Amino acid sequence: MAQLPDPRCWPAHNADMPLLRLALASEAGDPAARQRLAHELRQCIEQGEDQVILDTLRIATTASVYAHLWQQVCAAAEPQQDNEGAIVARIFAIPVVLVVGTKGRAVVSGVIPDIAEITALLDQHGAIGATRNFGLSNAAAALHTLERITPGQAYRWAHDFMRTGAPCDIASDPIVVAPGREQVHLRFLVGAGIGAVGAPSFVETASHIGKWGVPLTQLLSKQLAQPGVELLALPRPPVQLLKAAHAGRCAQLELAFSLFVSNSARTMRSASGDPTAIVSAHCDAAGLAELRISMSTALDDTVLEGFRWPLHPLDEFQSIVGSITALLEECRIGDIRLVGAVVADDESSGRPPFIRAADLNRNERDALPH
């Protein structure tokens, strides 16, 4: 089987960015550079210089450098105290993946009707632990809302919560559901809590979702239910606020892909035989990279279904490829093919966005590096 290439593009090293130089040295294992990087990031965050951090992330030279720098940013944005028993506020988000289906257009509220009931359930199952002043916003926030939160904003929210106990000002985003197959949506419940520096945070005490996941699924699904809509709300473990967007995004894509494969395989097998799955890596002129999974059958040239998996700089590429192929195998897809070169997306080429197995056999030369 061919090896799938990573289609993400990374810029060349820019020596004019001091933070990038420190990140490169820190990622390479220089302890002095790591200490200096942590200090500089903290300075940027405290002084509201978020753009410096974002600009540095944009020019990270490899996936590992990007991931290392982002981990250091998230650590620098956390409230810190030298004293072990000192009290700090921590902001977090609980990703919730929703599977929604309807025969007609519907809108699911972006506001949780009874957030106190959600909090009581988490407390009842021991998820809150030693955290005090625990609070959840009743706004169900979308991915784009969390992605706009800057390190400086997360830092200020924690300090404001510590001082006033006021909840985070987060926008609610309703879910618009179109008729047809089940759809997978993503929302976040943002919250905060106060605890001692050395004590387990809510992110830690609630990490074992087996204790509270099923009851919360039932409660959220009940609260968001409406006539004519089938809805299943699946919470994931809480994550530090800045890390939550990527964690939720991964959970949404994994579940959406699982539904796509099971639905497509079932439909194709009942109509025209076992499907072939083709996994290809794509990159367009703007540098946007994604994986595409194309499913077709040899007995019917009109049958072609596809799934797009957009790639994020934080994604562990080989892990994603492994999970995609593993799920295809679990669904008993016996013919899985990986295209061994990046496919350049060019609208003028006239190529369809997804690849039939027969087309790959005839035109594999189209899948050449751009």
Side-chain angles (χ1 to χ4, degrees):
M1 184 179 286
Q3 292 295 312
L4 199 67
D6 187 340
R8 292 174 295 182
C9 298
W10 302 96
H13 172 48
N14 187 334
D16 295 331
M17 295 294 291
L19 278 181
L20 180 59
R21 290 200 303 271
L22 286 173
L24 288 165
S26 175
E27 196 266 341
D30 183 341
R34 177 168 297 199
Q35 186 175 7
R36 183 64 181 170
L37 176 63
H39 173 76
E40 294 295 330
L41 289 172
R42 169 68 67 158
Q43 289 288 103
C44 287
I45 290 171
E46 290 179 348
Q47 295 171 12
E49 297 177 353
D50 286 309
Q51 197 58 50
V52 175
I53 295 173
L54 299 178
D55 288 344
T56 306
L57 285 165
R58 271 193 287 270
I59 61 169
T61 52
T62 66
S64 61
V65 170
Y66 187 104
H68 177 76
L69 177 58
W70 181 243
Q71 290 291 335
Q72 298 304 309
V73 170
C74 293
E78 284 281 274
Q80 296 176 357
Q81 293 285 349
D82 294 332
N83 300 327
E84 183 71 12
I87 303 300
V88 294
R90 298 183 176 98
I91 313 295
F92 60 84
I94 302 174
V96 181
V97 184
L98 301 106
V99 183
V100 191
T102 180
K103 293 182 179 179
R105 185 182 182 277
V107 178
V108 177
S109 174
V111 177
I112 306 300
D114 190 348
I115 199 65
E117 191 177 16
I118 305 296
T119 300
L121 183 147
L122 291 169
D123 192 27
Q124 175 188 344
H125 289 83
I128 295 177
T131 299
R132 296 294 176 259
N133 288 20
F134 181 89
L136 284 171
S137 170
N138 68 345
L143 177 62
H144 62 80
T145 298
L146 256 71
E147 287 180 330
R148 286 199 294 259
I149 296 173
T150 66
Q153 189 174 6
Y155 177 82
R156 289 190 297 275
W157 277 356
H159 281 268
D160 290 346
F161 186 81
M162 187 69 188
R163 188 177 66 256
T164 66
C168 303
D169 184 16
I170 197 83
S172 63
D173 296 288
I175 298 171
V176 179
V177 188
R181 282 184 177 179
E182 292 176 317
Q183 301 157 45
V184 180
H185 295 266
L186 176 64
R187 291 296 181 269
F188 297 86
L189 302 181
V190 177
I194 292 175
V197 169
S201 67
F202 172 67
V203 169
E204 294 169 302
T205 57
S207 61
H208 301 296
I209 195 170
K211 298 179 179 179
W212 53 270
V214 172
L216 185 53
T217 289
Q218 295 168 342
L219 182 54
L220 281 171
S221 300
K222 177 183 175 182
Q223 287 201 16
L224 295 173
Q226 59 178 275
V229 176
E230 296 181 358
L231 182 147
L232 182 65
L234 302 169
R236 305 303 302 150
V239 191
Q240 179 197 5
L241 183 62
L242 291 177
K243 297 180 180 179
H246 184 253
R249 180 183 180 277
C250 292
Q252 179 188 20
L253 281 167
E254 288 168 2
L255 182 54
F257 180 62
S258 177
L259 285 176
F260 161 77
V261 174
S262 59
N263 288 334
S264 298
R266 183 171 56 251
T267 300
M268 291 182 184
R269 284 180 177 132
S270 64
S272 53
D274 285 335
T276 293
I278 295 172
V279 187
S280 52
H282 296 252
C283 185
D284 67 13
L288 298 177
E290 65 183 16
L291 298 180
R292 294 183 195 167
I293 299 86
S294 309
M295 293 183 65
S296 58
T297 67
L299 299 179
D300 188 345
D301 287 342
T302 66
V303 176
L304 177 63
E305 296 200 31
F307 184 91
R308 296 174 184 262
W309 191 304
L311 293 171
H312 188 278
L314 285 172
D315 286 341
E316 295 182 6
F317 182 75
Q318 293 304 330
S319 177
I320 289 175
V321 174
S323 67
I324 287 172
T325 54
L327 194 138
L328 290 169
E329 290 169 355
E330 287 174 13
C331 291
R332 297 181 293 109
I333 308 297
D335 189 2
I336 304 171
R337 309 180 191 182
L338 305 185
V339 178
V342 175
V343 180
D345 279 349
D346 181 1
E347 294 181 1
S348 64
S349 69
R351 283 197 302 261
F354 297 100
I355 305 171
R356 289 184 179 85
D359 294 337
L360 180 65
N361 292 337
R362 289 196 305 266
N363 301 320
E364 195 163 9
R365 291 184 180 180
D366 288 344
L368 294 175
H370 60 292

